């Protein structure tokens, strides 16, 4: 995720320092960023690729990397212990009013920012979606000690680099989009585990069905348009009632059963696209289509 952020900041004119404890990961990250910059510029989503590439530098120590930073994004692995340790270091070395944002997919900033004892008020979650350089959404989730100023500055910067920020008003694990995603994912796994459908058909059901509508409007407006002149209220008070039977038979587990993991792995390996393409070719297939969709979505921003 750090690479994706690097691509975005560099393309948008910011001098960008990548920090990692592992030198080899840094070299790989720079190579991938260069490819991502070329891809975006070729797709018409950025310009001056050489200038953008020259804005990237690397560091293996926090002090070297953040001492003069105006904004920092942390993207280490998803664990309170790892993030608290990194926040402590960032807080010690970054200028006092520099916001410290976390890419966390669902951890609570309130449990991380107490490690940044000097200035916990400048700590906030800024959860991106993969690939960071293409998916516009970023979820800002302040912790209990986060200042309004930090949320405001982070929001503004995210807009400047082309993101679509939303703010979580009450801190919850998984924020907004990952909670929605987790609800759908549990049911997707369960349908395959129970033998109702293949993994390939579940994917088709989403991407050729509701997924297309969700890309344009999301569930609320989509249902509003399903209710005719009665709109959302008609859908919810009349048609929605019949969903009770579906909901009663849907998955409710909180730990993924082993059988679902096994069937998911097998199901993906049996997909036509997976048999035909390498992992890298699948990423390109996704990114090329995302670019087309993005151009449509950006025209309505
Ligand atoms: N992978 C996704 O699709 C995705 C999507 C959204 C958010 N996120 C979140 O982004 C974060 C990073 O995820 P990822 O998939 O990129 O992880 P990753 O394991 O690929 O990368 C983590 C990096 O952090 C480095 N690191 C570990 N400790 C460090 C330290 N003390 N100082 C500096 N660098 C250190 C590692 O060397 C590694 O390069 C997580 O919080 C994750 O939940 C991931």
């Amino acid at each position: 995720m750090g690479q994706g952020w690097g691509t975005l900041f560099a393309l948008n004119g910011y001098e960008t320092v990548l920090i990692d404890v592992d030198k080899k990961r840094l070299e790989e990250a720079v190579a991938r960023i260069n490819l991502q910059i070329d891809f975006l510029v070729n797709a018409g989503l950025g310009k001056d690729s050489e200038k953008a590439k020259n804005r990237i530098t690397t560091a293996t120590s926090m002090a070297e990397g953040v001492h003069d930073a105006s904004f920092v994004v942390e993207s280490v692995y998803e664990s309170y212990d790892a993030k608290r340790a990194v926040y402590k270091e960032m807080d010690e070395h970054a200028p006092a009013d520099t916001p410290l944002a976390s890419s966390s997919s669902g951890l609570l900033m309130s449990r991380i920012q107490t490690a940044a004892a000097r200035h916990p008020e400048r700590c906030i979650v800024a959860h991106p979606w993969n690939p960071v350089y293409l998916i516009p959404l970023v979820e800002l989730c302040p912790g209990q000690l986060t200042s309004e100023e930090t949320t405001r500055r982070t929001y503004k910067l995210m807009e400047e680099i082309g993101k679509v920020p939303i703010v979580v008003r009450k801190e919850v694990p998984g924020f907004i989009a990952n909670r929605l995603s987790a609800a759908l994912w549990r049911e997707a796994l369960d349908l395959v585990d129970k033998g109702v459908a293949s993994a390939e058909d579940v994917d088709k059901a989403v991407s050729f069905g509701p997924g297309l509508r969700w890309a344009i409007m999301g569930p609320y407006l989509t249902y509003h348009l399903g209710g005719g002149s009665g709109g959302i209220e008609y859908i919810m008070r009349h048609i929605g009632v019949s969903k009770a039977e579906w909901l009663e038979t849907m998955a409710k587990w909180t730990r993924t059963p082993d059988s679902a993991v096994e069937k998911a792995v097998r199901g993906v390996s049996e997909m036509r696209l997976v048999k035909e393409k390498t992992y890298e070719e699948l990423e390109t297939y996704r990114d090329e289509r995302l670019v087309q969709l993005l151009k449509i979505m950006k025209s309505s921003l």
Side-chain angles (χ1 to χ4, degrees), residues 1 20 25 75-78 83 86 103-105 127-128 130:
M1 300 312 281
D20 204 298
R25 296 281 309 242
S75 300
V76 300
Y77 45 87
E78 187 82 340
K83 297 216 185 268
V86 168
S103 295
S104 172
S105 301
H127 171 233
N130 194 31

Side-chain angles (χ1 to χ4, degrees), residues 20-268:
D20 204 298
V21 284
D22 183 343
K23 249 190 161 151
K24 196 163 162 284
R25 296 281 309 242
L26 281 175
E27 284 164 17
E28 289 164 3
V30 172
R32 282 183 67 105
I33 287 176
N34 287 341
L35 290 176
Q36 288 163 6
I37 289 174
D38 284 338
F39 173 81
L40 291 174
V41 171
N42 287 336
L45 295 173
K47 51 183 185 339
D48 292 335
S49 58
E50 287 315 306
K51 272 193 191 160
K53 288 175 191 173
N54 287 334
R55 291 189 191 108
I56 300 280
T57 51
T58 61
T60 48
S61 92
M62 194 66 82
E64 186 194 348
V66 306
H67 73 278
D68 60 351
S70 55
F71 192 84
V72 182
V73 186
E74 164 279 312
S75 300
V76 300
Y77 45 87
E78 187 82 340
S79 126
Y80 279 114
D81 287 345
K83 297 216 185 268
R84 282 180 59 85
V86 168
Y87 263 81
K88 181 171 180 298
E89 261 198 280
M90 294 193 299
D91 186 46
E92 279 164 9
H93 298 290
D97 66 343
T98 294
L100 306 177
S102 172
S103 295
S104 172
S105 301
L107 301 178
L108 302 180
M109 182 43 74
S110 292
R111 287 181 59 188
I112 298 172
Q113 67 192 158
T114 47
R118 275 199 327 147
H119 290 292
E121 73 286 351
R122 38 87 166 259
C123 305
I124 187 167
V125 166
H127 171 233
W129 279 66
N130 194 31
V132 186
Y133 52 90
L134 279 178
I135 301 288
L137 179 68
V138 60
E139 301 181 271
L140 306 188
C141 191
Q144 281 163 11
L145 303 177
T146 307
S147 67
E148 281 183 21
E149 173 68 2
T150 299
T151 307
R152 196 190 58 71
R153 281 178 62 192
T154 308
Y155 195 101
K156 189 163 167 283
L157 179 64
M158 291 297 128
E159 283 193 322
E160 273 168 29
I161 61 168
K163 288 263 169 226
V164 174
I166 59 173
V167 181
V168 182
R169 291 183 183 169
K170 279 187 189 173
E171 201 181 22
V172 283
F175 319 128
I176 299 165
N178 260 342
R179 290 172 79 92
L180 294 171
S181 190
L184 180 73
W185 183 222
R186 176 169 62 184
E187 190 56 28
L189 286 170
D190 207 57
L191 286 168
V192 173
D193 195 24
K194 285 187 179 139
V196 176
S198 67
E200 189 154 30
D201 277 355
V202 170
D203 271 10
K204 277 187 195 164
V206 175
S207 56
F208 288 100
L212 275 178
R213 301 192 307 198
W214 287 332
I216 311 295
M217 284 186 162
Y220 277 91
L221 259 190
T222 294
Y223 278 129
H224 182 55
L225 292 185
S229 57
I232 183 81
E233 185 160 12
Y234 179 76
I235 280 273
M236 296 198 66
R237 295 204 192 281
H238 300 281
I239 302 177
V241 175
S242 66
K243 289 187 180 145
E245 190 184 355
W246 316 348
L247 290 168
E248 275 160 23
T249 59
M250 282 167 65
K252 295 180 184 59
W253 43 257
T254 53
R255 301 259 176 255
T256 311
D258 286 345
S259 57
V261 177
E262 283 157 24
K263 285 179 196 166
V265 173
R266 197 182 328 135
V268 168

